[in-house]
Amino acid sequence: MKCMYIMEPGKVEFRKGEMPVRKKGQVLLKLLYGGICGSDLGSYKGTFAYFDYPRIPGHEFSAEIIEVDEDNEQGLKPGMIVTCNPYFNCGHCYSCDHGLVNACMDNQTMGCQRDGAFQEYITMPAERVYDGKGLDPKLLAAIEPFCISYHGVSRADVKQGEKVLILGAGTIGVLAAVAAVARGAEVYISDVSEGKLEMAREFGVHGTILNDTPEHFEEKVKTITGGNGFDVTIEAVGLPSTFQNCIDGACFGGRVVLIGVGKKNLDFNFTMIQKKELHVLGSRNALKKDFLELIDLVKEGRVPLEKIITNMYSFDEGDKAFYDFAHNQGIMLKVMLKF
C-alpha cells in the first residue's frame, strides 16, 4: 500500500508499505478522507514541537471498517464509516490514573509522536473507533479538529451571554468560535490576516479584530467590552504574541485557555495574572465524550461544519496539498485529502 512521509521540513515523499495485519481487539480500516491540521502543517514547516522525522503524518480522518472481531463490545461491523480517537495514552502514568487520559505523561498522538493515518490502510484498537452515524465521510474527518476546539471551550466553561475572544482564525480558532456561539456566547475572533477574518465571519461570530498592531488590538478590545476586557480569551495559534494578547484582553477574573502549540518562549509581566486574578488553563487533545457529543451535534445540523473544508486534494497530491497550504494559509482553512 501507499504511505505518505514527511521526510524533513518541506519534503513530502510517498513510499510503499506493508499491509497492516489486524490482531484481536483491533479494527482494519480503509482510509476515506484525511484532514491536514495545524500540527501537520507545523511538522511540514519544521515549527511543531512534537514531531520527529521521518514520520507518517495525519490524525484527522474518516475510514471504512474492513475487518473487526464479530463479538466486539462497540457494536462495530464491516462496512461502517467511522472516525477515531488518535491520542494514545499509556494507561498507567499519574495523569492516566487520575482520568486525565488526554494529557497522558507519555501521550503519543498519531502523526506526531507515532506514525499517523496518511496511508491507505491502518489498524486501530476497537475502543478508539467511533461510529459516524451516517455522517458524510468528509464531515466525519473534520470531527477531530472540532473536538480540539470543543474541548478548549469546555475547559473555559463558556456561558450564555459572556463575551469571548478567540485568538487565531485558523481551523481550530474558527471551530472554537463555533463551539462558543453554540453555547450562547457573544464571540469575537482576531487574526493578522484579513482574508481569514473574512472567512470566519461566515461562521456566526459577532465581530472580528484585525490584529495588525498592538495599539489597534487594545483599542478594539476596549471598544467592544466597554474597557472591561473579555470574560474568556482562547489562544489558538501557539505564538508568544497571541498568548500575550489573551492575557491583555481578558477581564479581571477572566478565563484564559491555551490550545495552540508552539516552540517559542514568552517573557512577560506575570504579575498581571495575579493583578487580574486570572484563571489560566491549558487544553490538550480531547476526550471520547467530545467525539461522541460532536458527532451527534453535527448530525443534528446545529453547526455549519461543512464550511470549514475549503480545499480538497487527492491523496496522490499530498505533496502539493502541503506546499499550497504552507504558502496560502491566509485563504485556506481545512485542507483535506481524498483517499
Side-chain angles (χ1 to χ4, degrees), residues 74 85 101 127 130 147 286-293:
Q74 292 75 23
N85 183 330
V101 295
E127 65 269 16
Y130 308 139
C147 284
L287 297 167
K288 177 180 179 178
K289 75 177 191 67
D290 298 319
F291 283 86
L292 301 183
E293 289 173 7

Side-chain angles (χ1 to χ4, degrees), residues 8 84 139 156 174 179 200 210-211 231 265 284 294 304 309:
E8 60 188 50
C84 300
L139 295 184
V174 168
L210 180 63
N211 196 1
D231 300 295
N265 296 333
R284 187 175 186 187
L294 285 185
I309 304 169

Side-chain angles (χ1 to χ4, degrees), residues 68-82:
V68 63
D69 296 336
E70 289 186 11
D71 58 348
N72 70 87
E73 296 178 359
Q74 292 75 23
L76 302 173
K77 299 178 181 178
M80 267 187 182
I81 307 302
V82 298

Side-chain angles (χ1 to χ4, degrees), residues 147-216:
C147 284
I148 298 292
S149 305
Y150 184 81
H151 185 73
V153 170
S154 298
R155 291 277 288 151
D157 192 24
V158 172
K159 298 178 178 66
Q160 185 170 351
E162 289 188 315
K163 282 187 169 66
V164 176
L165 176 63
I166 314 293
L167 270 297
T171 298
I172 299 302
V174 168
L175 290 176
V178 169
V181 167
R183 283 175 168 245
E186 183 180 329
V187 182
Y188 296 79
I189 193 164
S190 176
D191 202 280
V192 297
S193 168
E194 180 58 51
K196 282 198 169 181
L197 292 179
E198 187 175 338
M199 286 190 286
R201 294 184 188 107
E202 300 180 15
F203 290 85
V205 297
H206 297 79
T208 59
I209 297 176
L210 180 63
N211 196 1
D212 49 354
T213 67
E215 294 76 19
H216 184 223

